[in-house]
Amino acid sequence: MPTTTKKQNVVPAIAVMFALFFMIAFVTNFAGSMGVIVTNQFGASKALSQLGTLANFIAYLCFGIPCGILLKKKGYKFTALTAVTVGFVGVGIQWIAGPTASFLVYVIGAFVAGISMCLLNVVVNPMLNILGGGGNKGNQLIQFGGSCNSVGGTIAPILLGYLIGGQVENASVKDAAPAMLIAMGIFALAFVIIALTRIPEPHSDVAVKKEKDKYSPLSFRHFVLGAIAIFFYVGIEVGIPNTANVYFSGLDWVGPALTGVMIGAYWFCMMLGRLAGGAIGAKVSSKSMLCFTSLLAIVFLLAFIFTPDTVRITIGKNTLPLQLGFITICGICTSVMWGSIFNLAVEGLGKYTESASGIFMTMVCGGGIIPFLQNLLAGVDSIGSVNSYWLIIACLLFLVFYALVGSRNVNKDIPVE
C-alpha cells in the first residue's frame, strides 16, 4: 500500500516537470529564432542577431546561484510558481517590442524570460533526477523530460518561420506576436496547474544547520568539471541551429520558411534521440551516452564543414543544401547530452544537490555566450559561418574528455547526508 501511494503522488509531479521542460525550450528557441527578424528589422549584424539569445542566457549567469538559494529556502513548488510568473512578464515585454519597434525592449524581455528559464531549470532537473532515484534511472527520467523539451524546441522555429513567410526582407517583431501570445497563455495555464499539484519537497524535513558547512558542491571535482561541460554543451546545442538559421535564411534560394522547418527538424531529432535515450537510459551509462554522441556530433560537423554548398538535395518541390541536413541530424547527438552531464555532475552530492543545481544553471549562460562568439567569427570574412563551427567542435572535444575522465567522483570522502 505505501508503494502505491507513493506512485500516486509522484506521477502528477513528473507530468508537471515534463510540461515545464516543454516551456523551457519553446521560449528559449523562440529567442534564438528571433535572430532572423532582428537582423532585418534593426539592421543587426550576425553577432548582434544573437543578442536576444545572449540576454536570455546571461540571465542564468546573473541568477543561477540566487535561484538555487531560492529553491533551497522556499522549495520546488514556490520556485516553479515564481518561474512561470516571471516568464509571463518576460514574454509580455517581448510582445511590447512589436508595437514599439524597439530592439532594447526586445532584449530586456529576453533577459526577463531568461530569468524564468533559469528558475524552471533549477526546479525540473534535480526534481526529475530525484523522482527517478538518481543513477541511470534518474538520467532516464531526465531524457524523457527532455523529449517534451524537444517538442517545444521543434514548434518554436517552425512557427516563427511560418509567421515570417518566404521573404526575410519584410520580417518584423510584429510578425511574432501570435507566438508570444501562445507562450503567455501557456505560462498562465501552467501557473494554475502547478498551484493545484502536489510537488514533493525532498529535503523540507531536514533541519537547517546554522553553522557554516566547510564543504560545498564546488568541493567535488566531477561537479566543477560538469558545470564547465554544461557551459560548453548548451553553447553547442544552441549554436548549431542558431548560426545555421541566420546563415541559411539569408540565402535567397533557401529562405527563412524552409530554414525554419529544417531547424525545427533539428529539435525534432533531439526529441527522437531523447525518447531513445529514455528507452535505453536504465541500461546504458551516462558516460557511454555522452562520449558516443559527442564523437558522432564531431563527425557530422566535419561533414558539414567540408561538404561544398553546391551539393544539394531535393525534398518534394524544395531544394536545399546537404550541409543543412548535417546540421539537422546533429540534433540526435545533442539530445542526450544535457541529461547525461547533469546526471554525472550531481551523482553522489546528496544534500548539496539543490545548491549544485543553482551553480549548474549559472553555467547555462554558455548557451548565449558561445553562439555570440560563434557569430562574431561568422562575421569575419576570412572565417565565415561555415568555418565558425570549428568552435563548436572544440567544445565537443571537452565533452569527450569529461565523459572519459572528468566525470569520475574522486571526493567520496566528503559526507553528503
Side-chain angles (χ1 to χ4, degrees), residues 136-137 140 277-286 288-289:
N136 285 358
K137 290 186 177 180
Q140 182 181 38
I280 65 175
K283 299 179 181 178
V284 179
S285 71
S286 298
S288 298
M289 277 191 184

Side-chain angles (χ1 to χ4, degrees), residues 397-414:
L397 288 173
F398 182 85
L399 298 192
V400 175
F401 160 77
Y402 182 67
L404 296 176
V405 180
S407 59
R408 186 166 62 91
N409 185 358
V410 297
N411 304 107
K412 295 181 179 180
D413 58 319
I414 299 176

Side-chain angles (χ1 to χ4, degrees), residues 11 21 339 356:
V11 171
F21 247 132

